[in-house]
Amino acid sequence: MKIGLDIMGGDYAPKATVLGAIEACKVLSADHQLVLIGDKPTALALLEEQGFSADKFEFVHTTEVIGMGEHPTKAIVQKPDSSISVGFKMLKEGQIDTFSSAGNTGAMLVGSVFSVKSIPGVIRPAMASIVPKLKGGLGILLDVGANADCKPETLLQFGVLGSIYAELIYNIKTPRVALVNIGEEEEKGNMLALATYPLMKETELFNFVGNVEGRDIFSDHADVIVADGFTGNVILKMAESFYVITMKKGLRDEFFDRFNYEQYGGSPILGVNAPVVVGHGISNPEAIKNMVLLSRDMVESGLIEKIKQAFQ
Amino acid sequence: MKIGLDIMGGDYAPKATVLGAIEACKVLSADHQLVLIGDKPTALALLEEQGFSADKFEFVHTTEVIGMGEHPTKAIVQKPDSSISVGFKMLKEGQIDTFSSAGNTGAMLVGSVFSVKSIPGVIRPAMASIVPKLKGGLGILLDVGANADCKPETLLQFGVLGSIYAELIYNIKTPRVALVNIGEEEEKGNMLALATYPLMKETELFNFVGNVEGRDIFSDHADVIVADGFTGNVILKMAESFYVITMKKGLRDEFFDRFNYEQYGGSPILGVNAPVVVGHGISNPEAIKNMVLLSRDMVESGLIEKIKQAFQ
């Protein structure tokens, strides 16, 4: 297996990414080859600084970098030798089996859809994130920002994508899927939720358990929480802010600790023809390591094939 | 001033409401008359039990109660002698100057719009709530659920309503108004946010300061945070759940303490022709007392007149 990693992506790249690659390398098995995509001389210098053998990695040298604030579509087109553009080209051509980056999220989304493309039948790919559960364990929240406006059919598909992801990556059997809404009852909601509920209620594609309200995001009502990308993004960022607040205030608790994105590595882009993970912009080496491991798990679990089968 | 209070509304009514009325009575000035609307014999028995003189109150006896789970429109029509229906009739006829209830939120909304009606020019009234600020003080969030689907013009008006409310009730001078969005930049967002931003940017009706993301709800970016009622409701309930979680875990902190809805009394319905407050269903006497005081403040501050002027 070849695991592609953008070493230029993220606020603390390339140092955090190269150090993360080293940490990942230490736990990957011998047949899992990390491919570092980015400025090779810089990577070599960082490895030497750390006293870690460069022989452990493959390198693909690139000369351009897509900045965090750049316009995704323009950047992908105008910077063909950027680490993200090259990564997706390699992923498309099968030179790597998975690609991850803590860089420009929009460019990762655009790159996915332009290069490896959506799985036939998938209306819109989604980005998923984890939410810790109060009683322990994790849930999946999607979409967290790839699609600001959604149709009912798109939300229905997010249920399928999230359900398969929860089952294969987090070993949750027959995941309970719920819809974010402003009431528990079927007749509550905005037009989107009202139109989505009956589709989910009738589907045999996943185990729908009804609506969840804002207060139930962290409770044990559901394993997979479906929202449009606007609402999901607000939920994710609010949850992140609570983690930051409790940390700053020194309020340590096992539950709040499980909000720590570093442990999860990043958000998968679900519904495209290859495993793609987007890391948090502020990723440190630990987060990068876990992004690489998530990337590996997505390959090993056969996630893409499972999603393809579901949409056949 | 006559302050109408529904003593039948809320999970712990009539006991919590009557006890709350007693507490409010102790701090209201002599010319502020509390009018208790609901089952009079029960109220008298509770007052006697507490050894508190019934002479301090006016009573309006009603024979019906709208339950928390009832369909708002049907209930308002089918129960004309319910405490909520009678309260709104009195408010409309000027027998009371303000009306509050911790009962069925939907019935309070429908009652407001059917009886005292929207202020001319206001497309849709909104419900507002408070959000504590990390650096101290409070912000206003609206709409928190009255309007699940909104138009850009409606969100613009929420900015006006929230700005006037923040200024008159919380003494925030020239409140900074922000739009909930999934990015800070003008070009980020769903279709609604994209269409609302330019309206807010150009308006002279309030002090627009741009977008706020989910992570900035509790930061000092803005005093008034505008969202559609779907997103606002999810934000409010998530914030409430965090308060509950920190309480349960014994993580006491001044910031989290300021989430306690009991201190704020309830959510005003802004944009109708009289001061109306909806309390939390689980209101205890302290919350009821503060709901009554908020109700009074809305009358005393001349809020309704100010809003009318703004929409002329």
Side-chain angles (χ1 to χ4, degrees):
Chain A
M1 183 197 307
K2 294 217 176 183
I3 302 170
L5 172 66
D6 168 17
I7 56 166
M8 309 311 282
D11 296 343
Y12 307 120
K15 181 147 190 181
T17 45
V18 171
L19 296 190
I22 292 172
E23 294 309 311
C25 193
K26 289 176 184 170
V27 293
L28 288 172
S29 43
D31 55 342
H32 292 166
Q33 178 69 55
L34 251 175
V35 181
L36 306 188
I37 303 161
D39 188 74
K40 186 174 175 181
T42 304
L44 290 175
L46 283 162
L47 287 169
E48 198 178 340
E49 203 178 288
Q50 299 296 318
F52 199 82
S53 167
D55 297 344
K56 301 276 191 182
F57 304 101
E58 275 185 40
F59 296 88
V60 175
H61 181 63
T62 61
T63 58
E64 292 175 305
V65 177
I66 295 178
M68 296 303 262
E70 286 193 65
H71 187 280
T73 318
K74 278 188 202 163
I76 285 276
V77 172
Q78 290 169 356
K79 293 185 170 171
D81 202 42
S82 64
S83 48
I84 289 180
S85 299
V86 170
F88 277 116
K89 187 167 176 286
M90 293 178 69
L91 188 63
K92 184 186 175 186
E93 293 172 354
Q95 296 169 271
I96 50 178
D97 299 296
T98 173
F99 180 52
S100 63
S101 170
N104 186 310
T105 301
M108 287 297 286
L109 278 166
V110 171
S112 299
V113 174
F114 278 15
S115 67
V116 291
K117 295 193 166 57
S118 298
I119 287 169
V122 171
I123 308 168
R124 297 291 305 261
M127 277 182 71
S129 187
I130 63 91
V131 282
K133 293 287 168 187
L134 264 170
K135 61 157 264 184
L138 297 174
I140 304 299
L141 170 69
L142 78 168
D143 176 35
V144 295
N147 311 278
D149 292 287
C150 289
K151 293 173 183 174
E153 296 75 18
T154 323
L155 293 190
L156 180 71
Q157 291 196 347
F158 292 170
V160 179
L161 295 171
S163 190
I164 296 172
Y165 184 74
E167 191 148 3
L168 292 190
I169 304 298
Y170 292 100
N171 297 310
I172 301 169
K173 299 290 163 213
T174 324
R176 296 160 300 165
V177 179
L179 178 65
V180 173
N181 208 331
I182 58 172
E184 288 174 9
E185 308 86 351
E186 182 167 356
E187 65 273 16
K188 288 286 175 73
N190 57 6
M191 288 187 290
L192 176 62
L194 287 169
T196 304
Y197 192 103
L199 298 184
M200 289 194 167
K201 194 178 166 185
E202 284 158 29
T203 192
E204 289 177 2
L205 298 168
F206 52 79
N207 174 25
F208 181 56
V209 294
N211 292 329
V212 285
E213 298 182 75
R215 67 166 64 95
D216 300 319
I217 302 292
F218 306 103
S219 64
D220 196 40
H221 287 58
D223 303 302
V224 176
I225 295 175
V226 174
D228 64 272
F230 189 89
T231 310
N233 186 274
V234 171
I235 290 172
L236 176 66
K237 287 179 179 164
M238 253 189 94
E240 284 180 354
S241 80
F242 267 98
Y243 172 64
V244 171
I245 290 167
T246 54
M247 288 293 283
K248 276 191 188 160
K249 289 187 172 289
L251 301 170
R252 299 305 300 266
D253 181 90
E254 178 277 332
F255 169 66
F256 288 110
D257 288 347
R258 279 187 286 122
F259 276 85
N260 186 353
Y261 76 94
E262 293 168 15
Q263 299 172 37
Y264 312 111
S267 292
I269 298 178
L270 300 175
V272 293
N273 282 298
V276 177
V277 184
V278 186
H280 204 297
I282 57 171
S283 286
N284 60 11
E286 175 72 7
I288 298 291
K289 179 191 87 177
N290 286 319
M291 178 171 77
V292 169
L293 299 184
L294 172 58
S295 200
R296 172 202 65 187
D297 292 347
M298 287 171 71
V299 180
E300 271 193 341
S301 63
L303 178 73
I304 306 300
E305 275 313 308
K306 273 278 166 60
I307 294 175
K308 281 182 182 170
Q309 285 163 19
F311 283 90
Q312 261 176 359
Chain B
M1 183 198 305
K2 294 217 175 183
I3 303 171
L5 171 67
D6 169 18
I7 57 167
M8 311 308 284
D11 296 343
Y12 307 119
K15 183 148 189 180
T17 44
V18 171
L19 296 190
I22 291 172
E23 294 309 311
C25 193
K26 289 176 183 169
V27 294
L28 287 172
S29 43
D31 56 342
H32 292 165
Q33 178 69 56
L34 250 176
V35 181
L36 307 189
I37 304 162
D39 188 73
K40 187 175 175 182
T42 305
L44 291 175
L46 283 163
L47 288 168
E48 199 178 338
E49 203 178 288
Q50 300 297 318
F52 199 83
S53 168
D55 297 344
K56 300 276 189 181
F57 304 101
E58 274 184 39
F59 296 88
V60 175
H61 181 63
T62 60
T63 58
E64 293 175 303
V65 177
I66 295 178
M68 295 303 261
E70 285 193 66
H71 188 281
T73 319
K74 278 187 200 164
I76 285 276
V77 172
Q78 291 169 357
K79 292 185 171 173
D81 202 43
S82 64
S83 49
I84 289 180
S85 298
V86 170
F88 277 116
K89 188 167 174 285
M90 293 178 69
L91 188 63
K92 183 186 175 184
E93 293 172 355
Q95 296 170 274
I96 50 178
D97 299 296
T98 172
F99 180 52
S100 63
S101 171
N104 185 311
T105 301
M108 288 298 287
L109 278 166
V110 170
S112 299
V113 174
F114 278 15
S115 67
V116 291
K117 295 194 167 54
S118 297
I119 287 169
V122 172
I123 307 169
R124 296 292 304 261
M127 277 182 71
S129 187
I130 62 90
V131 282
K133 294 286 167 189
L134 265 170
K135 60 158 265 185
L138 297 174
I140 305 298
L141 171 69
L142 79 168
D143 174 35
V144 295
N147 310 279
D149 292 287
C150 290
K151 294 173 183 172
E153 295 75 18
T154 322
L155 293 190
L156 180 70
Q157 291 196 346
F158 292 171
V160 179
L161 295 171
S163 188
I164 296 172
Y165 183 74
E167 189 148 5
L168 292 191
I169 304 298
Y170 292 101
N171 297 311
I172 301 168
K173 301 289 163 216
T174 323
R176 296 160 300 165
V177 179
L179 178 66
V180 173
N181 208 333
I182 58 173
E184 288 173 9
E185 308 85 351
E186 182 167 356
E187 65 273 17
K188 287 285 176 74
N190 59 6
M191 286 187 290
L192 176 62
L194 287 169
T196 304
Y197 192 103
L199 298 183
M200 289 193 168
K201 194 179 166 186
E202 283 158 30
T203 192
E204 290 177 1
L205 298 168
F206 52 79
N207 173 24
F208 182 56
V209 294
N211 293 328
V212 286
E213 297 182 75
R215 67 166 63 95
D216 300 319
I217 302 291
F218 307 102
S219 64
D220 196 40
H221 287 59
D223 303 301
V224 175
I225 295 175
V226 174
D228 65 89
F230 189 89
T231 310
N233 185 274
V234 170
I235 291 172
L236 176 67
K237 287 179 179 164
M238 254 188 94
E240 284 180 353
S241 80
F242 267 98
Y243 172 64
V244 171
I245 290 166
T246 53
M247 286 293 284
K248 276 191 187 160
K249 290 188 171 289
L251 301 170
R252 300 304 299 266
D253 182 89
E254 178 277 331
F255 169 65
F256 287 110
D257 288 348
R258 279 187 285 122
F259 274 86
N260 185 353
Y261 75 95
E262 293 167 16
Q263 299 172 37
Y264 312 111
S267 291
I269 299 178
L270 301 175
V272 293
N273 281 299
V276 176
V277 183
V278 186
H280 205 298
I282 56 170
S283 285
N284 61 10
E286 176 72 7
I288 298 291
K289 179 191 88 177
N290 287 318
M291 178 171 77
V292 168
L293 298 184
L294 172 58
S295 202
R296 172 202 64 186
D297 291 347
M298 286 171 71
V299 180
E300 271 193 340
S301 62
L303 178 73
I304 306 300
E305 275 312 308
K306 273 278 164 62
I307 295 176
K308 281 183 183 171
Q309 285 163 19
F311 282 90
Q312 262 176 358

